[in-house]
Amino acid sequence: MNREDVPWATALLTIWMVGLYLYSPALDTGGKYFLLSPWIHSGWPHFWNNMAFFLPLGVYTERRVGSLPFLAFAALTPYLALHVPVLWGLSGLSQGASGLTKALTAYA
């Protein structure tokens, strides 16, 4: 297996989400919520549903586009999916990486 075949960005993001979920910081409506909301989930079902899609689609996408472009895409997409609708007045803030999993599903 080549070094390029190892999906390190997917592994890094998975560890990040698992760590945040286990740490489960109390969120307020200020800066902490804004920064962490794309990565925190509302419960085990929400977390596992996102992971069930993120892991296989993340590995697939990362291997196709490369680790650095994937990491940039995966870091930016959740913020856009959660905060742009608020800026446009379409909905309120939410939480979780569902926007990322939907984007990866569309790519695949």
Side-chain angles (χ1 to χ4, degrees):
M1 178 180 288
N2 292 335
R3 184 174 163 186
E4 293 84 28
D5 292 337
V6 177
W8 64 265
T10 302
L12 179 70
L13 288 168
T14 300
I15 291 167
W16 168 250
M17 286 187 273
V18 169
L20 277 177
Y21 187 79
L22 294 175
Y23 174 65
S24 191
L27 293 178
D28 57 25
T29 56
K32 188 186 293 185
Y33 188 89
F34 182 84
L35 293 173
L36 297 179
S37 62
W39 309 107
I40 294 181
H41 298 83
S42 60
W44 279 111
H46 183 216
F47 178 79
W48 288 114
N49 285 332
N50 277 346
M51 288 297 107
F53 285 93
F54 175 71
L55 286 171
L57 293 173
V59 169
Y60 171 78
T61 306
E62 184 176 354
R63 286 186 173 157
R64 290 196 45 123
V65 303
S67 294
L68 290 177
F70 172 75
L71 186 60
F73 171 81
L76 181 62
T77 299
Y79 290 100
L80 292 175
L82 294 176
H83 297 296
V84 168
V86 173
L87 295 174
W88 290 346
L90 300 175
S91 69
L93 289 172
S94 61
Q95 57 182 275
S98 300
L100 175 58
T101 59
K102 290 173 185 171
L104 291 173
T105 301
Y107 176 81

